[in-house]
């Protein structure tokens, strides 16, 4: 009999025991976890080869950063945010196109989803896990231009560097009202359907982004953002993200 079968049998006996008798009292005590707890050498020896293998994979070098990139290095767009949005577009669109024969029009992610800097020096698999520790995956929502306009209104009021891919240009005037909003250089067409890639958290209304629903259709790519970053990093020896004009505010 395996340990799994023994545990199941113990659970069944416990259930039947509780069902056939009254529980008058349950007691417990707090067990403090600190340095005084001794390591179980047998367990540690069993885990060690797996830990070494995992660390070797996580610390493998996959690219290089010529400088440090942070989500706080810009008001409305940042180098790291632009990198993430463009990576999602590049890696996600190839999958989306193969499945649907359509193309993603642009990408919107969230500023708060960037959880770490990319430090100057070697980029490893661990870097991608630090930047994106969550299990968020990419989905593509088919949105009418009216909803895309609502998205632009949201961004103009949020005034945060939510990552947008390079197909978007959103310009605010000195009063933070929308001066211009274009997709691939064209004004937003209210009657057109746009295919917008985002993460599943935002699609479900996270960060108050309620404009993804209702929609004209949803496509689940089953592709984690973290894996997108890893795949994208591996394609180039050195990353070179920049702040640009995709989301700016005019000062005059």
């Amino acid at each position: 009999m395996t340990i799994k079968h023994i545990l199941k049998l113990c659970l069944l006996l416990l259930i039947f025991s509780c069902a056939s008798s009254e529980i008058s009292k349950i007691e417990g005590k707090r067990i403090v976890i600190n340095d005084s707890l001794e390591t179980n050498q047998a367990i540690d020896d069993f885990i060690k080869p797996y830990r070494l293998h995992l660390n070797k994979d996580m610390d493998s070098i996959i690219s290089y950063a010529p400088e440090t990139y942070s989500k706080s290095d810009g008001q409305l767009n940042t180098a790291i945010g632009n990198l993430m949005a463009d990576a999602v577009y590049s890696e996600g669109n190839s999958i989306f196109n193969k499945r649907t024969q359509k193309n993603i029009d642009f990408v919107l992610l969230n500023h708060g989803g960037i959880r770490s800097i990319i430090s100057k020096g070697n980029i490893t698999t661990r870097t991608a896990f630090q930047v994106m520790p969550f299990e968020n995956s990419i989905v593509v929502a088919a949105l009418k231009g009216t909803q895309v306009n609502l998205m632009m209104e949201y961004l103009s009021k949020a005034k945060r560097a939510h990552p947008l891919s390079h197909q978007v240009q959103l310009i605010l005037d000195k009063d933070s009202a929308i001066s211009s909003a274009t997709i691939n250089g064209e004004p937003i067409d209210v009657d057109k359907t746009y295919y917008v890639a985002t993460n599943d958290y935002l699609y479900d209304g996270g960060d108050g982004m309620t404009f993804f629903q209702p929609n004209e259709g949803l496509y689940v790519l089953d592709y984690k953002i973290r894996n997108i970053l890893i795949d994208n990093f591996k394609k180039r020896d050195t990353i070179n993200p920049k702040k640009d004009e995709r989301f700016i505010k005019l000062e005059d």
Side-chain angles (χ1 to χ4, degrees):
M1 183 178 289
T2 66
I3 294 176
K4 185 176 180 181
H5 289 124
I6 293 172
L7 290 174
K8 285 184 176 180
L9 180 58
C10 290
L11 180 59
L12 288 172
L13 289 172
L14 178 61
I15 292 171
F16 286 127
S17 175
C18 291
S20 61
S21 63
E22 284 191 22
I23 299 175
S24 60
K25 189 177 183 181
I26 297 177
E27 293 183 344
K29 65 178 180 178
R30 181 181 179 188
I31 301 176
V32 179
I33 300 176
N34 54 39
D35 293 338
S36 66
L37 292 178
E38 295 182 3
T39 301
N40 186 309
Q41 194 60 47
I43 294 176
D44 193 60
D45 290 343
F46 178 79
I47 294 174
K48 184 177 180 180
Y50 299 97
R51 183 193 303 122
L52 292 174
H53 177 77
L54 177 62
N55 284 334
K56 182 180 179 181
D57 182 62
M58 292 288 282
D59 293 330
S60 60
I61 298 171
I62 54 178
S63 191
Y64 180 82
E67 56 185 282
T68 296
Y69 304 100
S70 166
K71 70 177 183 180
S72 62
D73 66 4
Q75 181 185 4
L76 296 178
N77 80 88
T78 65
I80 191 172
N82 295 345
L83 167 72
M84 290 182 67
D86 289 345
V88 168
Y89 179 84
S90 176
E91 307 304 325
N93 190 56
S94 61
I95 295 175
F96 183 67
N97 180 265
K98 286 178 183 178
R99 293 182 185 177
T100 67
Q101 289 71 57
K102 304 179 190 335
N103 288 309
I104 293 171
D105 286 292
F106 67 96
V107 175
L108 170 64
L109 303 174
N110 58 315
H111 181 264
I114 306 171
R115 306 304 289 185
S116 175
I117 63 173
I118 296 177
S119 298
K120 180 179 179 178
N122 291 330
I123 294 174
T124 64
T125 301
R126 192 183 301 278
T127 306
F129 275 79
Q130 291 169 338
V131 173
M132 178 49 64
F134 308 119
E135 296 298 304
N136 293 122
S137 294
I138 289 302
V139 299
V140 180
L143 304 180
K144 285 295 187 183
T146 50
Q147 288 168 278
V148 175
N149 278 331
L150 290 176
M151 180 188 299
M152 299 303 156
E153 287 289 342
Y154 170 94
L155 292 171
S156 71
K157 293 174 181 176
K159 300 188 206 48
R160 297 196 76 189
H162 291 303
L164 289 164
S165 61
H166 67 273
Q167 294 80 14
V168 177
Q169 186 178 46
L170 177 59
I171 301 175
L172 307 183
D173 64 23
K174 60 184 179 63
D175 298 316
S176 296
I178 295 175
S179 174
S180 172
T182 60
I183 310 296
N184 288 312
E186 298 291 332
I188 296 167
D189 183 347
V190 295
D191 296 318
K192 180 179 176 179
T193 298
Y194 293 88
Y195 296 95
V196 184
T198 189
N199 63 53
D200 45 10
Y201 166 73
L202 297 183
Y203 177 78
D204 290 331
D207 281 5
M209 297 191 188
T210 58
F211 38 74
F212 286 107
Q213 301 184 48
N215 52 64
E216 305 297 305
L218 175 67
Y219 304 83
V220 178
L221 301 192
D222 194 25
Y223 198 177
K224 289 182 173 58
I225 296 178
R226 180 172 57 240
N227 293 339
I228 284 175
L229 290 177
I230 293 170
D231 291 343
N232 193 259
F233 288 149
K234 287 179 177 179
K235 290 181 177 179
R236 39 191 169 165
D237 292 334
T238 303
I239 64 171
N240 189 33
K242 300 290 184 183
K243 289 183 288 185
D244 55 27
E245 305 292 299
R246 68 187 72 184
F247 187 11
I248 61 172
K249 179 181 177 181
L250 301 175
E251 298 301 327
D252 298 322

